[in-house]
Amino acid sequence: MTSRRKFLLTSGAALMAGAAALKWRAANAGPAPTWEVTHTDAEWRALLSPAQYEILRRGGTERPFSSPLYKEHRAGRFLCAGCQNPLFSSAAKFDSGTGWPSFWKPLERGVYTSRTTSLGFRGAEVQCRRCGGHLGDVFDDGPEPTGLRYCIDGLALTFTPGAA
Ligand SMILES: [Zn+2]
């Protein structure tokens, strides 16, 4: 009895994960990239601050409300702190109330959404499409027009004011 109930719960979760995966795929059409920018682990450690390395190369997460970019409201572009790839426009930034810079869509060729994370079936990992650096996660509870919420670590980003 117990195992059957467990099986049913698992299948339900799998179905929901499938639906979420379709949505991520629609938002990130195209095959898995080969990273254009690659470095050895030692090179990444030299290029990044310890806190940036922890997030970009080891999938860490910064403390909420700790990034000055959370309150960055000027027009401009958010680039990958690892390779300067343009990732997000200020035009798609919104205040999610979560404490992490949030966007409802990435720039063309900005990010790659690779796999479901340990956060469960409602989120997927977001990586820089150019260097594979871990940026954060995407969820399906964002605002229109996409309904997506890219929840990004500010330490994985640099901001360039100007044209969005
Ligand atoms: Zn990058």
Side-chain angles (χ1 to χ4, degrees):
M1 204 59 184
T2 311
S3 66
R4 169 139 181 92
R5 181 171 155 75
K6 199 167 184 179
F7 170 76
L8 288 172
L9 285 172
T10 311
S11 341
L15 279 175
M16 290 183 76
L22 283 177
K23 199 164 185 179
W24 315 135
R25 216 168 294 142
N28 294 274
T34 45
W35 311 124
E36 211 178 293
V37 173
T38 56
H39 294 292
T40 64
D41 192 59
E43 285 168 345
W44 280 121
R45 280 183 190 276
L47 281 167
L48 303 168
S49 73
Q52 287 174 320
Y53 175 87
E54 189 56 33
I55 290 164
L56 283 162
R57 308 313 309 177
R58 297 190 54 89
T61 306
E62 71 195 12
R63 277 183 304 107
F65 302 100
S66 64
S67 171
L69 293 185
Y70 181 60
K71 298 255 179 216
E72 179 59 70
H73 296 306
R74 287 174 292 169
R77 287 189 159 198
F78 295 84
L79 315 183
C80 172
C83 74
Q84 285 73 56
N85 184 28
L87 302 174
F88 298 97
S89 163
S90 58
K93 192 172 190 285
F94 71 100
D95 187 358
S96 62
T98 60
W100 288 283
S102 302
F103 306 86
W104 49 264
K105 99 173 166 185
L107 287 167
E108 190 83 16
R109 302 197 52 76
V111 309
Y112 174 65
T113 306
S114 57
R115 60 180 171 81
T116 304
T117 65
S118 57
L119 294 166
F121 47 78
R122 297 204 56 214
E125 183 186 12
V126 178
Q127 291 171 273
C128 170
R129 188 172 271 273
R130 196 150 162 252
C131 72
H134 172 85
L135 306 170
D137 299 276
V138 57
F139 302 90
D140 62 3
D141 57 5
E144 292 303 321
T146 61
L148 297 175
R149 172 171 60 92
Y150 288 82
C151 184
I152 306 299
D153 290 289
L155 276 168
L157 304 171
T158 59
F159 179 69
T160 308

